[in-house]
Amino acid sequence: MAFYFSEPSHTFGEYLLVPGYTAADCTPDRVSLRTPLVRFNKKAGEESPLSMNIPLVSAVMQAVSDDRLAIALAKEGGISFIYGSQSIESQAAMVARVKSYKAGFVTSDSNIRPDATLEEAVALAERTGHSTVAVTEDGTAHGKLAGIITSRDFRITHVDPKAKVSQYMTKRSDMVTGHDGISLSEANDIIWEKKINQLPIIDKDGNLVSIVFRKDYAMHEEHPNELLDANHRYIVGAGINTRDYAERVPALLAAGADVFVLDSSEGYSEWQRRALTYIHENWPDAKVGAGNVVDAEGFNFLADAGADFVKIGIGGGSICITREQKGIGRGQATATIEVAKARDEYYARTGIYVPICSDGGIVHDYHVTLALAMGADFVMLGRYFARFDESPSNKLVVNGQYVKEYWGEGSNRARNWQRYDLGGKKGMTFEEGVDSYVPYAGHLHDGVTVTMSKVTHTMCNCGALTIPELQEKAKITLVSSVSITEGGAHDVIVRNTSVQS
């Protein structure tokens, strides 16, 4: 006989947080949103080997997570999982671009020979988007340094385009350089002391090793939560499937991927268990999340199989029609509550803490806080990030309004059949996602800043300064449909005004 759950499943929109006592020192500026990403032995006093500064990750979707968005989100303290429904080479290249974007010590990607023309230097700068070009004897990133040429050294409209770079560059003998092995702190001290914009780092033979830029220091001040690895590179994740992981994982590791997630609409499967086992046996240091599941049974299966974190949610995404097509899924709030309880029981039993990620069902910013209060360590967002400039989709005007394209991985456009793979014939037989538009929302930095501000203020209303404290102190209530209506503006004519934060 089939098993029947005694209670209906609920969504985040059916709950509210009840305020708790707010002490005098419980202010938004003192709230920490730092949260673990992968499993660790909490009972032994260990810390997670990989944590985030804000509890947001971007969805493994073509319309959301490419290298540009990964860089933007890492600046804010979160992690993107670059979509895997592309060739291994293309995905690895995206990961590599994130890892090389800002390392403190940056390998120069704009290099030219002294005998090249100014015309060639301008073309190179336009192609790379970088106005600082290293001049090396052989025109490579690690050749013998001859000088530096920047957009300030000449105006192409006032010089002979065929003139040689060597005539206008700042020569090596007139430059301030740093020696290979210098610390990033020492390099920045030299930049500020000498009032220069970049410091080339050279080895004992005069070969260019890397460049440290003043703007990177300024960028860190603008983005104090940026998430960096031990080598001062942005942290980035990658989505993988249960078909080609044996080939995809080593290529992504070589490119610098910090963490993986098995991207599947339903993760309680033998295919995920096999993938987790194989990856951990062959690359013991690799971190791999798994999912998606919606109950305790699914969580325990993946935790026992070695998942480094577990993703919750089936059918709750704004572009997902899995529930409509297949009749499977569960309300996101109920699923999060049950899996969080299973996570805590697993920790009590084993001493191992396996973080959980609520994926889908986030409509309003306050739903993020609710998901965290219900036990999630972080949330995965698709529609939310697809709205921003940094997402890879096109910005269009539809009915007089700016929008961004947004499509599901199960849509005919994406054709990511691997995400819905059940081990049978390759390919899709029906869609589980739609092709759509979302209202354009500007820059990611501005949007995330507002959302995280709402989260921290709400946490203070609950008397919590950390996410674990929120989960301990939160008081959550179900609300009626009438209460939901009452919660918005009603019985008034609303003026179109806004408050800029």
Side-chain angles (χ1 to χ4, degrees):
M1 179 179 175
F3 175 80
Y4 290 87
F5 288 91
S6 58
E7 294 291 331
S9 62
H10 297 284
T11 66
F12 293 129
E14 297 176 77
Y15 288 93
L16 288 175
L17 287 156
V18 175
Y21 169 68
T22 304
D25 62 350
C26 191
T27 56
D29 60 295
R30 300 187 69 247
V31 171
S32 169
L33 294 176
R34 190 164 176 81
T35 191
L37 181 74
V38 297
R39 67 161 60 203
F40 60 104
N41 192 330
K42 186 176 180 180
K43 193 161 287 186
E46 295 179 359
E47 292 188 358
S48 176
L50 190 55
S51 296
M52 298 184 293
N53 293 327
I54 62 171
L56 304 183
V57 299
S58 67
V60 191
M61 300 177 69
Q62 294 173 10
V64 178
S65 297
D66 67 350
D67 49 301
R68 187 179 178 211
L69 190 123
I71 291 167
L73 184 51
K75 288 179 182 178
E76 305 306 320
I79 294 177
S80 286
F81 285 90
I82 291 178
Y83 69 93
S85 51
Q86 59 179 317
S87 70
I88 295 173
E89 295 75 19
S90 177
Q91 188 183 21
M94 285 189 180
V95 169
R97 285 197 290 272
V98 178
K99 299 306 290 187
S100 64
Y101 179 80
K102 178 183 181 296
F105 297 95
V106 179
T107 299
S108 176
D109 67 353
S110 301
N111 310 285
I112 203 164
R113 291 165 55 103
D115 58 359
T117 66
L118 294 180
E119 191 174 47
E120 291 174 309
V122 170
L124 174 62
E126 289 177 348
R127 188 167 66 250
T128 63
H130 297 150
S131 60
T132 298
V133 177
V135 184
T136 58
E137 295 297 343
D138 60 2
T140 68
H142 300 297
K144 187 175 290 292
L145 182 66
I148 288 281
I149 189 164
T150 76
S151 58
R152 295 181 179 181
D153 293 321
F154 66 94
R155 293 173 64 186
I156 194 64
T157 56
H158 289 66
V159 298
D160 179 3
K162 301 299 182 183
K164 301 299 183 185
V165 166
S166 57
Q167 295 176 241
Y168 289 87
M169 70 182 186
T170 301
K171 293 180 173 59
R172 161 73 183 85
S173 57
D174 297 326
M175 294 169 56
V176 178
T177 60
H179 62 84
D180 190 20
I182 191 174
S183 71
L184 185 59
S185 177
E186 291 171 330
N188 279 317
D189 286 343
I190 293 173
I191 286 174
W192 286 96
E193 180 185 342
K194 301 297 184 180
K195 300 179 181 179
I196 54 180
N197 290 320
Q198 64 277 321
L199 180 72
I201 307 300
I202 58 175
D203 65 17
K204 58 182 177 60
D205 297 318
N207 296 313
L208 179 64
V209 177
S210 58
I211 305 176
V212 178
F213 291 94
R214 175 193 287 261
K215 66 180 177 64
D216 286 343
Y217 181 88
M219 187 183 301
H220 179 72
E221 290 202 320
E222 183 182 352
H223 302 278
N225 284 327
E226 62 182 352
L227 197 59
L228 305 173
D229 64 16
N231 295 312
H232 299 278
R233 302 175 301 176
Y234 285 134
I235 289 176
V236 62
I240 57 176
N241 60 64
T242 56
R243 288 274 184 168
D244 65 3
Y245 51 84
E247 297 80 33
R248 191 172 291 267
V249 167
L252 294 173
L253 285 172
D258 298 282
V259 60
F260 303 100
V261 64
L262 285 162
D263 182 37
S264 175
S265 66
E266 203 278 293
Y268 188 6
S269 73
E270 175 63 13
W271 315 115
Q272 291 226 355
R273 187 193 66 78
R274 290 182 186 181
L276 287 166
T277 300
Y278 183 89
I279 293 170
H280 283 137
E281 285 180 349
N282 287 274
W283 301 281
D285 294 330
K287 307 301 181 186
V288 190
N292 286 15
V293 299
V294 292
D295 63 5
E297 195 173 349
F299 169 84
N300 286 317
F301 173 82
L302 291 176
D304 288 339
D308 286 293
F309 65 86
V310 173
K311 230 157 35 89
I312 310 160
I314 295 177
S318 59
I319 41 67
C320 184
I321 54 173
T322 294
R323 297 180 193 176
E324 179 182 306
Q325 295 285 62
K326 295 165 67 175
I328 65 169
R330 200 176 193 189
Q332 190 67 13
T334 299
T336 301
I337 292 167
E338 181 173 323
V339 172
K341 181 181 178 183
R343 183 269 318 279
D344 293 343
E345 291 172 348
Y346 187 88
Y347 163 61
R349 186 169 67 252
T350 67
I352 304 298
Y353 188 89
V354 180
I356 57 175
C357 167
S358 180
D359 174 20
I362 302 292
V363 179
H364 303 292
D365 287 347
Y366 81 89
H367 290 173
V368 174
T369 319
L370 272 170
L372 298 174
M374 290 174 177
D377 295 281
F378 53 98
V379 300
M380 176 172 277
L381 304 170
R383 178 195 60 84
Y384 177 88
F385 287 118
R387 304 171 303 147
F388 297 127
D389 280 317
E390 293 83 358
S391 75
S393 66
N394 295 317
K395 184 171 75 170
L396 309 170
V397 177
V398 176
N399 296 327
Q401 180 183 8
Y402 279 112
V403 298
K404 293 272 285 186
E405 295 179 302
Y406 180 46
W407 60 94
E409 289 296 292
S411 68
N412 192 50
R413 181 171 182 173
R415 301 197 69 80
N416 181 9
W417 64 268
Q418 295 95 332
R419 189 175 197 276
Y420 304 86
D421 185 22
L422 295 175
K425 182 180 177 181
K426 298 180 180 180
M428 291 173 57
T429 56
F430 57 90
E431 289 185 293
E432 293 190 45
V434 300
D435 199 338
S436 65
Y437 303 115
V438 289
Y440 168 65
H443 294 303
L444 180 145
H445 172 70
D446 298 331
V448 169
T449 298
V450 172
T451 299
M452 292 298 94
S453 177
K454 292 178 183 179
V455 172
T456 56
H457 279 75
T458 305
M459 287 173 63
C460 288
N461 291 142
C462 297
L465 289 173
T466 66
I467 292 173
E469 192 176 7
L470 173 67
Q471 293 165 352
E472 178 186 345
K473 292 183 174 181
K475 296 182 289 183
I476 304 171
T477 180
L478 266 171
V479 294
S480 68
S481 58
V482 178
S483 296
I484 295 171
T485 302
E486 180 187 61
H490 57 88
D491 302 316
V492 295
I493 299 173
V494 179
R495 297 173 62 185
N496 292 322
T497 61
S498 63
V499 176
Q500 300 296 325
S501 62

